[in-house]
Amino acid sequence: MSSRDEQLAKIKDEVITLKESPLCKERIKNGVFPVIGEGSHDAKIMFVGEAPGRNEAATGRPFCGAAGKILDELLKSAGIKRQDVYITNIVKDRPPMNRDPLPEEIEIYGPFLDRQIAIIQPKVIATLGRFSMEYIMRKFGLDSRLDTISRIHGRIFEAEAEHGKITIIPLFHPASAIYDPAKKGVMTKDFLVLKTIK
Ligand code: URA
């Protein structure tokens, strides 16, 4: 096991035994799983979604339901293999009824995401949806560049991470295409930006 694998396995153990979040109690009560993340531990591109949905909590895998199917299509259209990237969420346990994550939940789970970023050291973080856009842009000192996702989706923001330069690209959440299929074209175009990054 590489040191990255070990450090990521430690995060998994810590989330499994986490006591602070009411979402963990729900998870244990319902016999479902936390979703830590999946993909290459040496990924250049990291995708950060919001929180697991029903399918993800049932399997412990990120983006494996309807939104995941759209994410897979978008990755394919950009010529990116799912196994080459790392996919995770800010919140690692499913909020009941798929409600938006609460600020206190983001506060509890955010440090796990911070550690995943520090371990994997991606060159690019593509945020999926407004919650991860806000979290990641603030984390990397891009507060003044924040705007609504409809204004800044697909744009490239450069920042400094502890491990070096990092590019942040806010993307619409794949589930947006379920509610508004007309958005799929724009989303496909936004994903092409990922191809231009070396
Ligand atoms: N939506 C998310 O934000 N993350 C998932 O893993 C699945 C759906």
Side-chain angles (χ1 to χ4, degrees):
M1 242 204 211
S2 76
S3 140
R4 283 187 184 182
D5 296 347
E6 276 168 19
Q7 292 177 73
L8 291 165
K10 186 161 184 296
I11 291 179
K12 183 173 183 177
D13 291 343
E14 287 178 35
V15 174
I16 288 171
T17 52
L18 188 72
K19 302 259 178 336
E20 286 84 1
S21 163
L23 296 182
C24 309
K25 300 194 180 83
E26 283 291 307
R27 176 227 302 160
I28 294 162
K29 195 173 86 193
N30 299 328
V32 293
F33 301 100
V35 177
I36 313 298
E38 180 178 88
S40 166
H41 294 176
D42 303 307
K44 293 209 166 42
I45 306 176
M46 183 184 237
F47 286 89
V48 181
E50 205 169 287
R54 181 194 295 275
N55 289 292
E56 289 77 21
T59 57
R61 295 188 52 224
F63 286 96
C64 65
K69 205 164 156 250
I70 294 168
L71 176 62
D72 287 347
E73 282 170 31
L74 293 165
L75 286 170
K76 196 164 175 216
S77 69
I80 299 167
K81 293 200 183 91
R82 186 166 166 139
Q83 68 264 30
D84 291 343
V85 301
Y86 191 81
I87 305 175
T88 186
N89 291 299
I90 316 179
V91 170
K92 313 297 191 198
D93 283 302
R94 183 186 180 213
M97 316 295 287
N98 293 347
R99 64 155 166 72
D100 287 345
L102 302 173
E104 54 269 35
E105 291 162 357
I106 293 178
E107 208 173 299
I108 290 171
Y109 293 95
F112 293 110
L113 173 61
D114 295 344
R115 281 164 60 194
Q116 288 173 306
I117 295 169
I119 296 165
I120 296 173
Q121 308 191 350
K123 286 202 161 133
V124 178
I125 298 183
T127 60
L128 300 170
R130 71 190 163 94
F131 287 95
S132 60
M133 170 187 81
E134 283 178 15
Y135 183 87
I136 293 291
M137 287 188 68
R138 290 215 163 92
K139 171 177 166 62
F140 289 106
L142 295 167
D143 313 47
S144 65
R145 317 282 301 280
L146 260 173
D147 205 332
T148 58
I149 193 156
S150 0
R151 289 221 182 94
I152 61 172
H153 66 92
R155 287 211 203 145
I156 293 176
F157 295 90
E158 306 290 355
E160 275 303 322
E162 271 169 29
H163 62 272
K165 289 198 185 314
I166 192 155
T167 301
I168 313 295
I169 307 177
L171 298 171
F172 282 119
H173 194 284
S176 331
I178 303 173
Y179 311 116
D180 180 5
K183 255 199 186 143
K184 196 90 168 275
V186 179
M187 290 164 74
T188 306
K189 195 163 156 253
D190 284 351
F191 263 67
L192 292 179
V193 175
L194 292 167
K195 271 180 123 168
T196 65
I197 293 177
K198 292 283 166 286

